[in-house]
């Protein structure tokens, strides 16, 4: 199937299973390595690390490392360590984010900060970041270290930018995309980019996989923000309206203010400033009636299509097919 072919009527569960099937042995090796690398002389480090890593999720970022490297014919074993450290980087950001957001639930379970408190969560997050940099050194590629160390700075900036955006109804679409590029898409991009570098990609393929990760990450975040206003709380593992409760001006709200009447825009502006869920029903009606949800989905589909275009630079393989399926799954999922 061509990389940019239209999806057939397969459900997202089948697509999700096939993604891992292409690198099943590699993925099992990553899971083993995660457990090995979590070892610490301090029991609480292992306890919290294992808790958050075992809490579910598809482990998309390490999967991207594996698929990117294999799509370019990589035959070594350093992609296992690279995928593992990417997962550690991601997990550390989850621990820190939940403290900053004062979250109590993630993927249907209590957050680590809810179970153990803020201080242990932050410190274990620091440990996982530090462990990931130890593993980078072991891989022995200065270029990969440059990609990943640069990514950590951009991710941190994105998180700070999101924090400063809270309660600000004047955030526009440009600032919104800058924020999600930093806080979400950057690690997707770093995963595929570093996987390509590990496989000694030519410049065109390296650039293509870097952009593929960027667009894929943007698509995932756009759908996350969409589902916050139309998702199923049980399937998502969090409550509908959580972003509104935190005063986050995401694209559904930004577009609803742009497309709605002055009264509708005023209602949303007040809801963003105040936070909380007192006006959730009103806001849900406005984002639906103004077409803001459809607009957000269209932008997600645009990012997914751009990701698919990048795969034309890769040779045909089951790994490229899995990358293509992942780009489609990003906009088809319901949680």
């Amino acid at each position: 199937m061509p990389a940019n072919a239209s999806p057939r009527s397969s459900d997202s569960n089948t697509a999700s299973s096939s993604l891992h099937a292409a690198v099943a042995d590699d993925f099992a090796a990553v899971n083993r390595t995660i457990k090995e690398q979590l070892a610490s002389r301090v029991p609480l480090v292992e306890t919290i690390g294992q808790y958050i890593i075992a809490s579910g999720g598809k482990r998309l970022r390490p999967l991207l490392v594996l698929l990117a490297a294999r799509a370019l014919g990589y035959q070594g074993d350093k992609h296992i360590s690279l995928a593992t450290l990417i997962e550690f980087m991601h997990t550390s950001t989850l621990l820190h984010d939940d403290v900053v957001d004062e979250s109590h639930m993630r993927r249907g379970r209590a957050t680590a900060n809810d179970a153990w408190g803020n201080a242990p969560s932050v410190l274990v997050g620091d440990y996982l970041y530090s462990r990931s940099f130890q593993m980078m050194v072991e891989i022995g590629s200065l270029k990969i270290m440059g990609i990943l160390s640069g990514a950590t700075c951009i991710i941190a900036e994105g998180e700070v930018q999101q924090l400063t955006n809270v309660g600000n109804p004047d955030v526009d679409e440009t600032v919104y995309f800058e924020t999600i590029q930093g806080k979400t898409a950057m690690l997707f991009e770093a995963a595929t980019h570093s996987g390509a570098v590990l496989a000694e990609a030519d410049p065109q393929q390296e650039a293509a996989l870097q952009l593929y990760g960027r667009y894929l990450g943007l698509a995932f975040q756009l759908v996350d923000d969409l589902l916050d206003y139309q998702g199923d709380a049980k399937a998502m593992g969090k409550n509908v309206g959580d972003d509104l409760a935190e005063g986050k001006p995401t694209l559904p709200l930004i577009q609803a203010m742009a497309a709605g009447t002055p009264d509708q825009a005023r209602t949303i502006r007040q809801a963003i400033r105040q936070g909380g869920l007192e006006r959730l029903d009103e806001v849900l009606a406005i984002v639906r009636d103004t077409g803001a949800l459809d607009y957000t989905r269209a932008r997600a589909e645009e990012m997914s299509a751009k990701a698919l275009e990048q795969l034309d630079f890769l040779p045909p393989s089951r790994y490229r097919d899995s990358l293509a399926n992942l780009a489609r799954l990003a906009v088809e999922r319901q949680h």
Side-chain angles (χ1 to χ4, degrees), residues 92-114:
S92 67
T93 64
L94 298 184
L95 286 163
H96 290 162
D97 289 354
D98 286 341
V99 171
V100 171
D101 294 340
E102 300 180 359
S103 299
H104 300 288
M105 184 170 68
R106 179 178 289 277
R107 297 168 182 159
R109 298 207 312 173
T111 56
N113 52 295
D114 189 69

Side-chain angles (χ1 to χ4, degrees), residues 113-328:
N113 52 295
D114 189 69
W116 285 279
N118 288 343
S121 295
V122 169
L123 294 172
V124 172
D126 291 345
Y127 172 84
L128 290 175
Y129 250 136
S130 302
R131 193 75 192 92
S132 70
F133 275 86
Q134 282 186 314
M135 296 180 72
M136 278 182 225
V137 173
E138 293 166 4
I139 289 173
S141 167
L142 281 175
K143 186 168 183 177
I144 288 175
M145 288 184 69
I147 291 167
L148 297 180
S149 60
T152 61
C153 292
I154 293 172
I155 292 166
E157 288 176 336
E159 294 292 349
V160 174
Q161 188 171 21
Q162 177 175 258
L163 186 63
T164 60
N165 290 347
V166 168
N168 181 7
D170 294 319
V171 170
D172 62 17
E173 189 168 326
T174 298
V175 173
Y176 166 80
F177 271 97
E178 289 174 355
T179 303
I180 67 171
Q181 162 61 24
K183 81 180 193 71
T184 299
M186 191 64 237
L187 194 54
F188 280 75
E189 178 180 327
T192 51
H193 190 189
S194 59
V197 170
L198 185 67
E200 299 181 345
D202 66 41
Q204 190 176 54
Q205 291 175 329
E206 179 185 332
L209 276 168
Q210 179 181 3
L211 289 174
Y212 167 87
R214 179 184 305 173
Y215 293 132
L216 180 69
L218 291 172
F220 261 91
Q221 187 59 56
L222 282 159
V223 172
D224 274 355
D225 292 346
L226 167 70
L227 291 175
D228 196 65
Y229 292 95
Q230 68 172 31
D232 177 83
K234 185 176 180 181
M236 292 167 66
K238 68 172 190 174
N239 297 315
V240 173
D242 275 357
D243 287 348
L244 180 65
E246 296 169 15
K248 292 180 180 177
T250 57
L251 190 59
L253 299 185
I254 293 168
Q255 176 60 20
M257 286 188 287
T261 65
D263 283 345
Q264 289 174 323
R266 191 176 305 112
T267 295
I268 292 179
R269 290 179 68 86
Q270 291 172 348
I272 292 171
R273 285 199 184 101
Q274 294 169 358
L277 296 174
E278 291 79 8
R279 311 194 76 167
L280 177 60
D281 290 341
E282 286 180 83
V283 171
L284 289 175
I286 293 170
V287 296
R288 183 179 60 249
D289 294 345
T290 57
L293 297 179
D294 292 337
Y295 178 83
T296 302
R297 180 167 294 281
R299 294 307 309 270
E301 290 171 350
E302 176 190 345
M303 296 302 123
S304 174
K306 287 183 175 182
L308 284 167
E309 289 173 3
Q310 303 306 315
L311 299 181
D312 290 338
F313 295 100
L314 306 184
S317 71
R318 57 180 177 153
Y319 308 112
R320 190 187 78 167
D321 291 344
S322 291
L323 289 168
N325 286 336
L326 183 52
R328 299 184 188 104

